[in-house]
Every structure is written in structure tokens, then in C-alpha cells.
Amino acid sequence: MEEYVDFIHRISYQQAELRIAEGDFTPDGRVYLKVNSDNSFKPFYGDTVVFDLNARDKAKISTLIDKLYDSCSECFCNRLDTSTLHMTLHDLSASDNLDNISIEVFCNEIKLLSLLKLNPITTQKIKMKTNFVINMVNTSLVLALIPTDEGEWDKLQSLYTLIDEVKVCPYPYLTPHITLTYFNREGFDKNSSDKLKEKVAELNRQSFDITLCTKNLFYQKFISMNDYTNVFGLTSQRG
């Protein structure tokens, strides 16, 4: 389990200034798996464990997204529905071809149910705060989160480590974040890039608290990056 001090050191790259290429911007090729040429969402399949957000926090984040689209809509694909906003605890499986992962997804669900019988998750809250809006590997803009202290980080890491028993992530560490928007599939020019940097710098002058609760921790399946379905909650409702 990653120690809090190591986590804080690891995310030191997160800064108020948006790190994006100078000049014209071309997104990472992974955007093409999720977004059509008209910037609508493509079919993209998989399963995941996420914290759904409460209405108050979704409203605050939706206001940030409003400001991004009002200023720089040409930088992004179609807008994500506010109802889908979440913080991913642990990715499981994902592919643009359902046949490639259908058996894997079925096994993930069975493993998770078995794991929860042996290790029930009780109701608890985890206090987080926003860090910065950042560029996530040239695919999306995300709102990075950090725990308010070491104890909150340990609670989050314990949950992450538990789900890791279902399937180990291809990347070794949790970087808490909420996806705000995916980039325009076709990219954008330097003028738009400069506008986006200015808007992100403005947004990054504010910060607010986010409360995660295991009552809202769900195993979800998705058929696109804008279409998630809760399959079951992970909490035992005790405690």
C-alpha cells in the first residue's frame, strides 16, 4: 500500500498551470477509441469500481465544466452528462470490442461478490479536497483530488488494495481524479490552446472539499464514457 508521503511526492507534478503542448494540440490516440469523428462518444465497454458523487459536489463540478465549455468548447468532445460524474476507485476491464472482454467482465463481477462476502465494506466517509484541473495524458481534462490528511488517504488506499485482489491495475498507483471532459478528437490550434490555459489557470485559483462515501461506492459497467450503469453497491450498510 502506497504511503501518504510517497503519494504527495508522486503528485507534485500537478500544478496550477495547465501542462499542454505549445502550439497546435493533437490528443493521444486513446481518444480515438472513445470518441467518434463528430466528437460524439463511441461504444466503449468495460467495468469499474467508482464513487458516485453527491448532488452538491456534482453541481459544483458541473459549474467548472460550464466555464470550460463557455470559453473553449472547440477544445472538447461532446459534454459528459452531469449524472455520470464520479471518482474512479479502481479500473477493471475496458475495450472498444465487447467480445474481447465479456468473459473477463463476468469473472470480475463474480470475484468481487466473493471478495465482499469475506471482506464486507462498512459505511464510512472519506474527506478529499480538489487540487488542480490537469491534463490527463493528453486524453482529457480532470479535476485532481487529494485526501485532507494521512488518515483519509489510508482509508482510500485500503479500499483500493481490496479491489486490487479482483484484478491488478496495469498502472500501480491510485491518482484520485474526476474526469471533466475529453479532448476534441481532431485537436485544436494554438489560439484555443492559449485560451484553455488561461481558463484553467482561473479555475485553479479556487479549491473546495469533496466528500466520498462508501454508501455511494458502486460496481459499474459501461458501454461508453458517457453511459454507466450501477450493478451493485459495495457497502454492507453496517457501521
Side-chain angles (χ1 to χ4, degrees), residues 116-155:
L116 292 172
K117 286 183 179 179
L118 297 174
N119 303 274
I121 296 173
T122 56
T123 300
Q124 60 178 322
K125 293 182 179 181
I126 302 174
K127 297 178 182 178
M128 309 286 286
K129 59 184 177 180
T130 61
N131 199 25
F132 298 115
V133 175
I134 64 171
N135 170 18
M136 184 64 82
V137 295
N138 288 339
T139 64
S140 58
L141 277 187
V142 308
L143 180 60
L145 304 179
I146 57 175
T148 56
D149 58 37
E150 184 173 0
E152 302 304 294
W153 172 248
D154 288 345
K155 287 191 283 187

Side-chain angles (χ1 to χ4, degrees), residues 41 69 78-82 84-85 179-182 225-226:
F41 289 99
Y69 275 80
N78 288 1
R79 181 170 172 155
L80 292 167
D81 291 338
T82 300
T84 70
L85 295 174
T179 300
L180 302 177
T181 179
Y182 288 90
M225 292 293 91
N226 200 33

Side-chain angles (χ1 to χ4, degrees), residues 57-230:
D57 291 340
K58 284 184 178 180
K60 286 186 176 182
I61 295 163
S62 183
T63 297
L64 297 183
I65 298 172
D66 285 341
K67 292 178 180 179
L68 289 168
Y69 275 80
D70 287 345
S71 175
C72 315
S73 61
E74 72 275 13
C75 296
F76 312 121
C77 75
N78 288 1
R79 181 170 172 155
L80 292 167
D81 291 338
T82 300
S83 63
T84 70
L85 295 174
H86 62 266
M87 195 209 88
T88 300
L89 173 66
H90 198 297
D91 288 321
L92 293 171
S93 299
S95 175
D96 60 341
N97 186 330
L98 181 59
D99 290 339
N100 289 345
I101 59 165
S102 57
I103 294 176
E104 189 175 293
V105 168
F106 174 79
C107 291
N108 289 342
E109 183 175 354
I110 298 303
K111 288 179 183 177
L112 181 56
L113 287 169
S114 298
L115 183 67
L116 292 172
K117 286 183 179 179
L118 297 174
N119 303 274
I121 296 173
T122 56
T123 300
Q124 60 178 322
K125 293 182 179 181
I126 302 174
K127 297 178 182 178
M128 309 286 286
K129 59 184 177 180
T130 61
N131 199 25
F132 298 115
V133 175
I134 64 171
N135 170 18
M136 184 64 82
V137 295
N138 288 339
T139 64
S140 58
L141 277 187
V142 308
L143 180 60
L145 304 179
I146 57 175
T148 56
D149 58 37
E150 184 173 0
E152 302 304 294
W153 172 248
D154 288 345
K155 287 191 283 187
L156 192 62
Q157 269 292 288
S158 293
L159 292 169
Y160 179 86
T161 301
L162 178 65
I163 308 305
D164 217 37
E165 294 184 35
V166 175
K167 183 180 180 183
V168 176
C169 272
Y171 43 88
Y173 302 115
L174 171 64
T175 303
H177 67 273
I178 298 165
T179 300
L180 302 177
T181 179
Y182 288 90
F183 288 122
N184 186 319
R185 178 186 163 113
E186 305 304 321
F188 42 88
D189 62 21
K190 181 181 185 302
N191 181 58
S192 294
S193 179
D194 290 344
K195 282 198 303 178
L196 181 57
K197 289 177 182 178
E198 182 177 345
K199 179 55 62 174
V200 168
E202 174 189 318
L203 297 180
N204 282 339
R205 288 196 285 269
Q206 62 176 307
S207 179
F208 53 90
D209 295 335
I210 296 280
T211 300
L212 307 176
C213 184
T214 53
K215 284 184 178 179
N216 297 323
L217 183 60
F218 291 99
Y219 173 69
Q220 291 186 335
K221 295 180 182 178
F222 53 86
I223 59 174
S224 82
M225 292 293 91
N226 200 33
D227 197 339
Y228 294 78
T229 300
N230 291 339

Side-chain angles (χ1 to χ4, degrees), residues 3-16:
E3 297 295 329
Y4 179 68
V5 64
D6 296 324
F7 165 71
I8 294 298
H9 176 73
R10 176 167 61 84
I11 64 164
S12 60
Y13 69 90
Q14 297 178 4
Q15 301 292 329

